[in-house]
Amino acid sequence: MTMVQTNSINYSDYVESQKNKGQGSSVLDKDAFLKLLMVQLQNQDPLNPMEDREFIAQMAQFSSLEQMTNMNVNLQKFMESQRNNFASHSDLIGKQIEWTTSTGNKREGIVTSVVFKDGDVQVVVGDTNVNTKNITKITNAE
């Protein structure tokens, strides 16, 4: 019977090797996760291979990690676009606006503030919140 020598790698060894390469972070991203999985498969004991259910569980973890990463990126993009949209309307404060109400009436007034409500940017005129989509005219206040 011959002895088979296997190499082992663990998370802390991997993180330390990445730090030495100048890529250091204690965060295990999806690329690092996949690399670890590949190293694990390459270095498994041929006489005692990884169980199918273990491999499937690790692939499911990888898939979940990838989906969470994608969702986080999309959420960050959304939040940034909302902040930019919100800030871009702050220049309306002190301006005279005209808008159309839901009943079709024209109203006007001076914008006193900008709010973010129900996913939309709204300007406040007196005690009325006006959706920026309903604004038909903007002028300097007199």
Side-chain angles (χ1 to χ4, degrees), residues 1 3 32-34 38 41 44 47 87 97 123 129 134 139:
M1 183 179 222
M3 281 294 255
F33 186 89
L34 189 56
M38 293 307 296
L41 287 173
Q44 66 182 330
L47 300 176
I97 65 166
V123 295
N129 286 12
N134 297 333
T139 58

Side-chain angles (χ1 to χ4, degrees), residues 67-116:
Q67 291 302 315
M68 285 189 297
T69 301
N70 292 341
M71 188 168 58
N72 186 34
V73 167
N74 289 334
L75 184 59
Q76 286 175 344
K77 286 179 183 177
F78 173 74
M79 292 302 294
E80 185 63 30
S81 72
Q82 292 304 313
R83 266 182 281 190
N84 289 340
N85 194 14
F86 184 73
S88 69
H89 287 88
S90 64
D91 61 346
L92 292 176
I93 296 173
K95 300 281 185 178
Q96 177 88 21
I97 65 166
E98 184 178 289
W99 73 94
T100 306
T101 65
S102 58
T103 59
N105 296 329
K106 296 274 186 189
R107 295 199 50 206
E108 64 179 49
I110 297 176
V111 176
T112 57
S113 63
V114 179
V115 295
F116 188 74

